[in-house]
Amino acid sequence: MPQKLETSFQTTAVSPAASESEVKAPLYVKVAVPLHVSQTFTYRLPETARELAHVGSRVLVPLGRSAVTGFIVELLPDLSSHRTFTDSDIRSVEKVLDPTPLITPEVLEITRWVSQYYGSPWGEVLKAALPPGINPNSEQLFTLTPKGLARVGELDSEDTAEGRVLRALAHAGELNGETLIKLVGKREASRTAKELQIRGLVATHLRFATAGARPRTQRIVQLSKLPGAEERAPRKVTPAQQRILDALSNQQTVPLPELLRVAGVSISAVNTLHKYGQLEIAEENVRRDPLALATLPQVDEYTLTGAQNQVLSQIEPPLRSGAYGAFLLHGVTGSGKTEVYLRAMRISLELGRAAMMLVPEIALTPVFSRRLRSNFGDQVAIFHSSLSKGERFDEWVRVKTGAARIVIGTRSGVFAPIANLGLVIVDEEHESTYRQQDSPRYNGRDTAIVRAQKENAVVILGSATPSLESFHNSQTGKYQYLQLPSRIGDRPMASARIVDMREVFARHKKPRVFSEELLEAIEATHKKGEQSIILLNRRGYSSFVLCRSCGETIQCPNCDVTLTYHRSERVIVCHYCNHREPAPEKCPACDGKYIYYVGEGTEQIEAMLTKLFATLRIARIDRDTATRRGAFEKSLFDFSAGKIDMLVGTQMLAKGHDFPNVTLVGVVSVDAGLALPDFRAAERTFQLITQVAGRAGRGERPGRVLIQTYHPNHYALRHACAQDYSGFYREEIRHRQNHGYPPFVSLASLLLHGTALGKVRADALELRKELDLANQERSCRILGPAPAPLARLKGEHRFQVLVKSRSRKQLRKVVDTALDAVMGRGQNLRAINLEIDPVSIM
Ligand code: ADP
Ligand code: ZN
């Protein structure tokens, strides 16, 4: 333990960062490090660093035997707040990395809230708030001591791990950990290194490397304006040199590559003129613009509809007065929500305040960012993870410096360094993708609401199918409810119909993938030259591989799921850990050759439809095809240009896109989704179908939606087909109340994982015991431990404990007390995933 803990896991209130002017020459700093630890650490500031250190600056600090980049979260004039330790316990900051802090006060505040509310390490949250690659990395290097060098001479030719390491060190001078592992394997590497150090043969030290993002620069050239340039001019100007002088004669700066091109000269001609003092060459930052090549849509100047005006008139007052206000904007797709967002943004900008818009996934950003860019030009910055490191860095800098005042992004955009935030929009607020599943865990939507609250901004949550929680909040008055009840131009919603697959089965005496009704609808749509979308929630070709002789299914060796057949590559793949192996020709269990592929994936549906409809041009969109950057966009583009007749894909297709010529949407099966062991299964299915119905008939022609299912009477399906949100809400909210689920209780899920089954189970039982101890007032209900629905994942066993309570405060108290207790007994916190408000409990 390198440093003493100063805050326990319990979220003791951190005193607000004292304003810097109050703290004269801080002697110590509190630092949050991006590691899986719940506490902050205190360091001494060396004399030279005192002037430089600010709250929000990054610092290099020693931690254990390495050094890490952390963030100053508080300046301390002395150690009086620490009862437990004194100056001699404390190590020094090695270096202050930023003279101006990278973390703004607003970002510091919201990340602190996130870390307290979700129990996520503050340093990790802060790191997630910065563009990747901005942190220097350190690595440990090994070198030989003189004693070690002497030992190399004594080595005989035996091939031991020690011998190999020493010889390699003598040869290379220094080696890093990675090379050691390559030399002797992972286990041996750390053992050997430690032993050689103890024996004084090897020494270690740290080296820092700045990885990744920095500004891109280019050289720019102009005619010299320095006095006396004339006299230094070459006596005879070559034609090439003359062309350079001509190209620059309008006194402008020209980027060097462009100058070379325009003047048709080589760099040496430029260098010669530069030597003669005729040119000035400087470095200039170049912006990497994610939308540099995009064609922007035209800006439409609509007159708002009555309903849009009504909605906006409610949003305006708090926006203008600079007060917090939360709104739920409930409107079907095509009802004009985006137009309302744009108007609200414009008002915010006019008031001199900035705006932020979050969308649930990367795939939706191109559409929105272009629309925003054509409305607001360069004031728009884009934040999402599929931009290049350089683009992300530049966009972040533009926001930090105030050059951009509108941010559009996915969930981590909520940490954008925006100052003076006036408006926050969370589109499709019901989407589960707002939840970050890996550490640091947080929900982007809920964080956005809190950020708006802290910064006195207006927040608008938009959705066609609000989450149960948000709708509930609008009923209790926590949010103001706004509605856009119909589509612009009163275009009808598509009519959705359930196709009862039980009847289809009865007719054919065997299961069929497509009902006659769906096939006829495809045919008819295609004949009319209209387009269709076919949806399925499963990638790949078949869901699993089964031997007809022995009934064997092929399981992932690491996870508790069957492998999925991908025919195009002839492999079977695990969709959780990406384990792949060649598709078997024979059954691995009984050697039988009746391998049988059960269930259909997107790939197979595509193949079947291609066979059934020879003239149909089909493209498939799912996570397999969308991984290549641009492939997804290209398919969508070709589809909207009419070069493709049908899109086959997963629910990625259900969202956000506007294709006026689509008149048919078929859902091959919703049953897998309905059957998930998750309290949100019905809500998700309802949302999916409503979203899908929004895809059909966005243009002049009416649309049609067909949903194939073996459960035609399920309430989620009935209400979805009737486009009846409140009917669904009434039934679903009753279920939630009866079974004790959100929004009536707060939930925490504690998932323990590890490779040794016995240990994970024992740890889970131990945790349960501590939870019970902490819960003597019986304010919580504790369930489990039980094997998680996915009991094995990526080679690890998983057990789950659920904690429910009507009081969020009690829930946190019980969970934190128990976690403190197990941690105190040496439980590695990394092996427990704590999720507050999990969006699903699978
Ligand atoms: P949503 O975000 O609810 O799906 P949009 O704002 O994208 O809806 O509007 C749907 C369509 O109607 C878009 O093509 C948009 O350009 C158009 N539209 C929006 N508001 C108006 C209006 N007031 N008058 C005419 N067309 C509008
Ligand atoms: Zn797997």
Side-chain angles (χ1 to χ4, degrees):
M1 189 52 53
Q3 295 277 293
K4 291 195 180 163
L5 308 192
E6 58 189 43
T7 59
S8 70
F9 190 85
Q10 274 181 346
T11 51
T12 45
V14 180
S15 60
S19 86
E20 289 185 15
S21 55
E22 290 168 31
V23 184
K24 299 252 160 12
L27 297 179
Y28 304 94
V29 284
K30 271 192 189 176
V31 175
V33 294
L35 293 174
H36 208 89
V37 289
S38 50
Q39 73 274 16
T40 52
F41 297 102
T42 297
Y43 291 92
R44 185 186 309 107
L45 275 174
E47 192 76 47
T48 49
R50 284 182 198 155
E51 291 291 304
L52 294 174
H54 299 281
V55 169
S57 292
R58 293 170 311 150
V59 281
L60 210 52
V61 290
L63 191 74
R65 283 195 291 148
S66 64
V68 294
T69 306
F71 303 87
I72 299 180
V73 295
E74 202 178 332
L75 304 176
L76 305 170
D78 52 50
L79 289 179
S80 58
S81 57
H82 293 288
R83 262 162 290 140
T84 43
F85 56 86
T86 57
D87 186 75
S88 57
D89 297 324
I90 283 186
R91 296 166 82 177
S92 287
V93 164
E94 292 194 6
K95 197 171 172 195
V96 176
L97 295 168
D98 314 304
T100 36
L102 292 192
I103 303 293
T104 63
E106 293 87 357
V107 174
L108 193 76
E109 182 57 29
I110 192 66
T111 52
R112 175 170 56 198
W113 178 84
V114 165
S115 96
Q116 292 191 352
Y117 185 88
Y118 295 102
S120 303
W122 195 358
E124 282 194 1
V125 185
L126 283 165
K127 190 176 174 191
L130 290 176
I134 208 167
N135 277 355
N137 304 329
S138 72
E139 68 176 353
Q140 194 167 28
L141 289 177
F142 299 89
T143 51
L144 284 180
T145 60
K147 199 171 152 199
L149 199 58
R151 173 84 182 101
V152 177
E154 299 157 19
L155 285 175
D156 43 35
S157 57
E158 67 187 306
D159 186 29
T160 60
E162 178 187 322
R164 253 185 286 167
V165 170
L166 289 175
R167 267 190 290 264
L169 280 172
H171 185 72
E174 57 181 25
L175 295 176
N176 62 14
E178 210 177 316
T179 327
L180 280 196
I181 289 171
K182 272 198 205 122
L183 267 176
V184 295
K186 198 162 185 168
R187 274 233 323 274
E188 280 295 295
S190 57
R191 199 191 56 76
T192 312
K194 206 178 280 169
E195 199 187 304
L196 290 173
Q197 278 177 71
I198 292 171
R199 286 163 53 198
L201 302 176
V202 162
T204 66
H205 58 104
L206 290 173
R207 179 171 63 193
F208 300 102
T210 319
R214 50 184 68 222
R216 176 195 284 172
T217 56
Q218 70 176 6
R219 282 195 279 174
I220 50 167
V221 187
Q222 63 179 343
L223 290 181
S224 174
K225 296 199 183 82
L226 294 177
E230 226 103 288
E231 287 127 54
R232 273 176 275 132
R235 209 154 299 144
K236 218 169 138 250
V237 174
T238 66
Q241 289 170 349
Q242 190 56 51
R243 287 201 302 277
I244 295 173
L245 296 172
D246 291 346
L248 295 171
S249 61
N250 60 1
Q251 302 298 316
Q252 299 254 311
T253 57
V254 177
L256 181 62
E258 193 184 318
L259 179 64
L260 299 181
R261 194 168 42 77
V262 171
V265 297
S266 70
I267 182 83
S268 68
V270 175
N271 284 340
T272 312
L273 277 180
H274 185 226
K275 241 183 352 232
Y276 279 111
Q278 301 305 296
L279 304 178
E280 287 170 28
I281 301 181
E283 295 260 311
E284 173 188 72
N285 282 4
V286 194
R287 173 175 162 210
R288 287 153 290 195
D289 179 4
L291 288 184
L293 300 174
T295 37
L296 300 181
Q298 254 183 313
V299 181
D300 306 298
E301 289 297 341
Y302 302 116
T303 330
L304 291 189
T305 63
Q308 283 172 321
N309 265 322
Q310 175 65 24
V311 162
L312 202 61
S313 72
Q314 310 249 19
I315 297 170
E316 263 196 75
L319 197 55
R320 291 202 180 274
S321 67
Y324 167 70
F327 298 90
L328 174 64
L329 177 55
H330 185 183
V332 293
T333 36
S335 61
K337 293 188 296 296
T338 310
E339 199 55 39
V340 170
Y341 301 154
L342 292 172
R343 300 289 171 120
M345 284 182 188
R346 190 158 292 148
I347 296 172
S348 189
L349 284 192
E350 278 165 16
L351 293 167
R353 304 185 75 187
M356 167 194 292
M357 174 167 180
L358 299 183
V359 294
E361 58 182 286
I362 291 167
L364 292 182
T365 53
V367 188
F368 281 112
S369 19
R370 282 185 209 152
R371 207 157 153 191
L372 288 181
R373 185 58 81 72
S374 40
N375 273 275
F376 302 110
D378 275 350
Q379 302 208 62
V380 179
I382 303 167
F383 273 50
H384 65 71
S385 59
S386 78
L387 300 186
S388 72
K389 262 190 189 170
E391 287 169 339
R392 291 175 80 176
F393 181 76
D394 287 1
E395 292 294 85
W396 183 87
V397 168
R398 291 198 317 120
V399 175
K400 177 86 175 9
T401 55
R405 288 156 72 224
I406 295 182
V407 168
I408 170 160
T410 44
R411 62 178 174 247
S412 65
V414 75
F415 300 123
I418 302 178
N420 201 0
L421 184 63
L423 176 68
V424 178
I425 291 158
V426 183
D427 194 35
E428 317 263 8
E429 62 86 23
H430 60 277
E431 285 290 343
S432 57
T433 43
Y434 281 118
R435 178 83 207 190
Q436 164 112 343
Q437 301 289 356
D438 308 320
S439 188
R441 293 190 176 76
Y442 65 95
N443 183 314
R445 174 197 62 191
D446 297 345
T447 306
I449 297 167
V450 173
R451 185 161 178 191
Q453 200 165 19
K454 286 180 184 293
E455 297 173 34
N456 288 320
V458 164
V459 56
I460 308 173
L461 308 178
S463 176
T465 51
S467 62
L468 266 264
E469 284 95 328
S470 294
F471 195 79
H472 185 72
N473 282 339
S474 77
Q475 302 286 297
T476 62
K478 206 168 160 192
Y479 305 154
Q480 219 174 309
Y481 181 74
L482 304 171
Q483 200 180 12
L484 290 173
S486 52
R487 285 181 158 186
I488 297 286
D490 280 326
R491 268 179 266 148
M493 286 298 282
S495 62
R497 249 184 59 78
I498 290 173
V499 180
D500 187 344
M501 294 305 279
R502 294 174 310 182
E503 289 171 12
V504 178
F505 182 79
R507 267 203 302 281
H508 296 277
K509 308 273 181 299
K510 61 177 185 197
R512 280 271 171 129
V513 176
F514 299 110
S515 59
E516 289 88 347
E517 195 170 349
L518 181 55
L519 291 177
E520 280 160 20
I522 293 174
E523 173 88 52
T525 308
H526 185 38
K527 261 205 186 117
K528 279 187 279 178
E530 295 168 2
Q531 293 172 302
S532 49
I533 293 178
I534 302 295
L535 273 181
L536 185 79
N537 270 338
R538 196 186 286 139
R539 292 183 288 146
Y541 197 80
S542 302
S543 63
F544 56 103
V545 186
L546 179 82
C547 171
R548 273 189 173 152
S549 317
C550 73
E552 171 87 358
T553 58
I554 302 185
Q555 299 273 332
C556 174
N558 314 314
C559 310
D560 221 0
V561 291
T562 50
L563 295 174
T564 301
Y565 179 47
H566 285 237
R567 192 171 68 163
S568 55
E569 301 166 75
R570 300 208 58 83
V571 289
I572 47 181
V573 178
C574 170
H575 284 180
Y576 287 94
C577 72
N578 210 27
H579 167 86
R580 314 173 154 246
E581 50 187 90
E585 312 254 327
K586 292 181 298 191
C587 172
C590 74
D591 242 15
K593 48 179 182 289
Y594 300 104
I595 285 284
Y596 177 62
Y597 297 98
V598 185
E600 300 76 32
T602 42
E603 209 183 316
Q604 184 179 14
I605 296 288
E606 182 192 14
M608 289 171 85
L609 287 169
T610 308
K611 213 156 139 196
L612 284 165
F613 301 98
T615 57
L616 207 57
R617 294 164 300 172
I618 305 179
R620 176 164 56 92
I621 288 192
D622 52 30
R623 240 190 306 155
D624 295 325
T625 61
T627 43
R628 273 171 295 133
R629 195 180 172 187
F632 179 72
E633 270 207 65
K634 183 172 185 318
S635 293
L636 292 184
F637 184 80
D638 286 350
F639 192 55
S640 61
K643 290 188 205 158
I644 290 173
D645 304 309
M646 174 190 274
L647 285 182
V648 174
T650 53
Q651 60 190 342
M652 283 175 86
L653 272 182
K655 295 163 200 159
H657 316 290
D658 193 352
F659 303 114
N661 201 31
V662 171
T663 55
L664 171 70
V665 176
V667 182
V668 175
S669 169
V670 290
D671 297 341
L674 271 181
L676 291 176
D678 186 10
F679 71 96
R680 270 184 232 269
E683 185 182 354
R684 292 232 179 293
T685 306
F686 178 85
Q687 286 162 352
L688 173 71
I689 292 172
T690 314
Q691 298 279 331
V692 166
R695 294 305 114 218
R698 296 207 76 178
E700 300 301 313
R701 283 157 292 214
R704 172 143 86 120
V705 178
L706 294 175
I707 297 151
Q708 303 192 146
T709 178
Y710 285 89
H711 306 283
N713 296 319
H714 194 288
Y715 68 97
L717 300 184
R718 271 192 293 110
H719 291 301
C721 284
Q723 308 279 346
D724 179 8
Y725 180 86
S726 43
F728 170 73
Y729 175 78
R730 276 195 302 275
E731 273 194 60
E732 179 67 12
I733 204 82
R734 227 183 26 241
H735 281 277
R736 298 279 180 94
Q737 184 147 33
N738 292 343
H739 295 100
Y741 277 116
F744 297 98
V745 301
S746 296
L747 263 186
S749 133
L750 294 142
L751 193 131
L752 291 92
H753 55 98
T755 45
L757 176 64
K759 177 163 169 23
V760 182
R761 193 192 290 122
D763 286 351
L765 287 168
E766 185 67 40
L767 178 63
R768 165 78 206 229
K769 225 165 65 200
E770 292 297 346
L771 285 166
D772 284 335
L773 273 177
N775 187 34
Q776 289 186 355
E777 292 167 31
R778 308 221 145 257
S779 57
C780 298
R781 238 187 109 201
I782 302 165
L783 307 164
L790 203 62
R792 220 156 74 82
L793 183 67
K794 301 180 185 177
E796 293 194 320
H797 299 277
R798 293 148 46 98
F799 279 82
Q800 193 175 36
V801 183
L802 279 180
V803 186
K804 292 179 174 183
S805 176
R806 289 191 185 269
S807 154
R808 168 174 306 283
K809 232 170 101 197
Q810 288 299 320
L811 178 92
R812 273 317 290 257
K813 212 175 111 202
V814 167
V815 167
D816 290 343
T817 309
L819 283 177
D820 266 348
V822 294
M823 213 171 68
R825 246 175 282 131
Q827 166 74 48
N828 181 1
L829 212 53
R830 208 181 271 280
I832 304 180
N833 298 349
L834 164 66
E835 270 202 67
I836 301 292
D837 306 341
V839 289
S840 89
I841 50 172
M842 289 196 45

